[in-house]
Amino acid sequence: MNDVMKGKEKLMEALRKYGVVIVKEDGKYVYTESDYCVEIENASLFKLSQDGYVIAPYDNLDELCEMIKMG
């Protein structure tokens, strides 16, 4: 399993744990509620964007999920 797939597995688990609604999956991109897009860089780095604008990179999935839940 490559790094992106490992990262996607970890991300999906964290999103479910936080109750984040997943709208669509497309390769290394996961689209969630509030028009957020999470790009999986590798197994431990994720880039959060909204409406095409990068918000921040995250290496902590709890912080990423909390940001999405804040909307």
Side-chain angles (χ1 to χ4, degrees):
M1 184 183 292
N2 68 30
D3 262 8
V4 170
M5 292 309 295
K6 287 178 191 169
K8 188 171 188 177
E9 213 171 77
K10 289 166 41 176
L11 172 65
M12 300 302 272
E13 185 178 317
L15 292 173
R16 278 191 289 275
K17 179 177 123 184
Y18 276 84
V20 173
V21 175
I22 298 164
V23 177
K24 181 174 97 172
E25 294 177 50
D26 184 15
K28 66 178 189 170
Y29 300 95
V30 175
Y31 299 87
T32 70
E33 61 191 58
S34 303
D35 294 322
Y36 283 113
C37 174
V38 181
E39 180 180 353
I40 302 146
E41 297 285 337
N42 58 48
S44 58
L45 185 62
F46 308 87
K47 185 166 50 176
L48 182 65
S49 61
Q50 187 178 42
D51 298 323
Y53 296 97
V54 175
I55 296 169
Y58 285 88
D59 58 7
N60 182 313
L61 285 172
D62 290 320
E63 290 176 7
L64 172 68
C65 291
E66 288 170 9
M67 177 66 186
I68 293 171
K69 288 306 283 184
M70 288 186 339

